[in-house]
Amino acid sequence: MKFFRCQRCGQALLFEDTRCESCGFALGYLPNFGALRAVEPDGPTWFADPDRESRYRFCQNWESHGCNWMIRADEGETFCLACRHNRMVPNLSDPDRLADWQKIEVAKRRLFYSLIKFDLPLPTLASGEPEPLVFDFLASPADPQSGPKVMTGHEMGVITLALEEANDARREKRRAAMGEPYRTLLGHFRHEIGHFYWDKLVRDTDKLEGCRAVFGDDSQDYEAALKQYYEHGTPADWHANYISAYATSHPWEDFAETWAHYLHIVDTLETAHAFGVSVDPPEYDGDRLRVVADFDPYRAENVTQLIDAWRPLSFALNSMSRSMGQGDMYPFTLTLAVIDKLGYIHSLIHSTP
């Protein structure tokens, strides 16, 4: 994630900010420029510093405090590049569901930041493509007898996210119950979008066999594989070849988990790059823990460049997290087999026309 400053006063800004706490100006994110700008109303439209010629409008979800992205006033769109993929949202007149949806939208916009940076295909319902990217944010029924529980997942372009995942206590309870080291809204989005891009970039292309050579034969029965995983768990040596336990369940899940971690690594390294972060412990005799994040991870030449920066950075971040009495920020191990899989994801993303 980039580092932003207010054009009016120089105040440091967060990606989600809607108003500068220093000078009080409203803020809007311009996805086509990757910039968070101070904005000023001009009738029904807005100026965005320093451009005083163009006019913008906020995404319609801005009115519900669900988005801070903007659209050019002459685009003829009411929703921004991220929100136009929403198909179903919860009842926003319910304060609790509104608050949960707002958290979901924050994570979704961070996902789209990466997808736009990588220039990946983002077909909408209006595109006419048979499997556009669509989001359904749904709440499970209050009465279990009145209908099935909503399950987070992906099917033929539709990503469903259970609204309950926005509740920190419920999500943590599920994480602990399933023995997961990590469970976040952003993690869900990055995982499920991996399934979408497997369909889009691999399934019906000449890359299928190459993908199978890395992740395994995806033609094996998916439901049977999941049943086997939940009933019998993981093989004893899974850490050597997989980024997570869930990745062992089926090649599709291995691909999606690896895709998610690739996005985790790239975006966190960009944040480190934006802040000029360097790691160079003086007491360490050698250079294995030395890193200066002085390159654009979204344009990295190869996965080795990313991993060489990520290993010492994640070690330092985990150490700082423990100093605060928290668990590791990145509780995963990158083995050679996992790095090879990350390398496949890197090549796939950067070979997409």
Side-chain angles (χ1 to χ4, degrees):
M1 185 62 64
K2 284 183 178 179
F3 174 69
F4 303 102
R5 285 193 182 276
C6 177
Q7 291 77 33
R8 293 299 180 102
C9 68
Q11 172 72 25
L13 304 171
L14 297 173
F15 183 62
E16 296 80 12
D17 284 343
T18 59
R19 183 169 299 277
C20 178
E21 295 298 326
S22 177
C23 66
F25 267 86
L27 301 171
Y29 182 74
L30 307 181
N32 289 327
F33 297 99
L36 187 63
R37 299 278 174 82
V39 297
E40 187 176 350
D42 178 45
T45 60
W46 298 73
F47 294 111
D49 283 344
D51 180 5
R52 306 297 291 182
E53 300 297 325
S54 302
R55 298 293 185 274
Y56 297 89
R57 289 182 290 101
F58 275 102
C59 172
Q60 185 172 316
N61 284 332
W62 179 69
E63 299 174 4
S64 303
H65 303 285
C67 188
N68 66 342
W69 286 26
M70 304 192 84
I71 318 153
R72 285 184 62 96
D74 58 6
E75 274 191 60
E77 295 280 352
T78 57
F79 291 100
C80 72
L81 285 174
C83 291
R84 65 190 61 165
H85 292 271
N86 290 3
R87 186 174 69 173
M88 300 182 70
V89 299
N91 178 8
L92 302 184
S93 65
D94 181 321
D96 291 335
R97 292 189 175 186
L98 172 63
D100 287 343
W101 171 74
Q102 289 168 340
K103 291 179 183 178
I104 287 172
E105 289 295 339
V106 167
K108 189 195 75 181
R109 291 196 303 278
R110 282 190 171 257
L111 169 72
F112 271 83
Y113 174 89
S114 296
L115 304 182
I116 292 168
K117 287 274 287 186
F118 281 130
D119 197 24
L120 287 165
L122 294 167
T124 62
L125 281 168
S127 70
E129 290 199 22
E131 294 181 20
L133 176 60
V134 172
F135 293 96
D136 288 345
F137 305 135
L138 307 176
S140 296
D143 178 8
Q145 302 300 318
S146 63
K149 178 181 177 181
V150 173
M151 301 297 292
T152 295
H154 166 269
E155 185 174 6
M156 299 185 69
V158 179
I159 292 176
T160 301
L161 186 66
L163 194 64
E164 299 93 299
E165 289 291 340
N167 183 294
D168 294 340
R170 291 184 182 180
R171 190 177 62 254
E172 174 60 18
K173 184 177 180 180
R174 290 182 181 180
R175 186 200 65 77
M178 300 181 73
E180 298 172 340
Y182 171 91
R183 190 182 184 97
T184 67
L185 284 172
L186 184 53
H188 281 312
F189 273 116
R190 287 173 171 167
H191 174 97
E192 300 304 338
I193 205 71
H195 288 299
F196 174 80
Y197 283 116
W198 188 92
D199 287 354
K200 185 66 62 179
L201 305 179
V202 175
R203 184 188 61 193
D204 300 321
T205 74
D206 59 2
K207 296 181 173 67
L208 180 58
E209 291 307 316
C211 186
R212 286 174 172 171
V214 175
F215 292 97
D217 183 8
D218 58 273
S219 66
Q220 61 180 281
D221 187 280
Y222 179 71
E223 297 300 331
L226 286 187
K227 185 173 184 291
Q228 170 75 15
Y229 168 75
Y230 284 118
E231 289 182 356
H232 302 286
T234 59
D237 62 347
W238 70 267
H239 294 86
N241 298 297
Y242 299 91
I243 191 64
S244 69
Y246 190 54
T248 68
S249 62
H250 188 277
W252 287 343
E253 299 302 343
D254 192 10
F255 180 94
E257 284 284 87
T258 307
W259 179 286
H261 280 260
Y262 183 81
L263 296 190
H264 290 332
I265 290 168
V266 168
D267 201 48
T268 306
L269 281 174
E270 189 192 42
T271 304
H273 170 61
F275 282 94
V277 171
S278 63
V279 178
D280 186 12
E283 73 280 2
Y284 185 79
D285 184 17
D287 62 358
R288 186 170 61 87
L289 283 181
R290 186 177 187 279
V291 61
V292 178
D294 58 355
F295 66 98
D296 180 359
Y298 280 95
R299 300 292 177 262
E301 294 180 3
N302 51 57
V303 78
T304 301
Q305 187 181 20
L306 294 172
I307 301 305
D308 285 349
W310 179 247
R311 276 179 161 160
L313 178 64
S314 60
F315 184 86
L317 291 173
N318 286 346
S319 298
M320 287 188 283
S321 184
R322 292 186 184 194
S323 295
M324 287 291 293
Q326 300 289 335
D328 288 348
M329 188 210 74
Y330 189 74
F332 301 94
T333 301
L334 300 181
T335 64
L336 291 177
V338 170
I339 292 171
D340 284 344
K341 293 175 181 180
L342 289 166
Y344 178 89
I345 300 297
H346 176 87
S347 298
L348 180 65
I349 287 175
H350 288 281
S351 66
T352 301

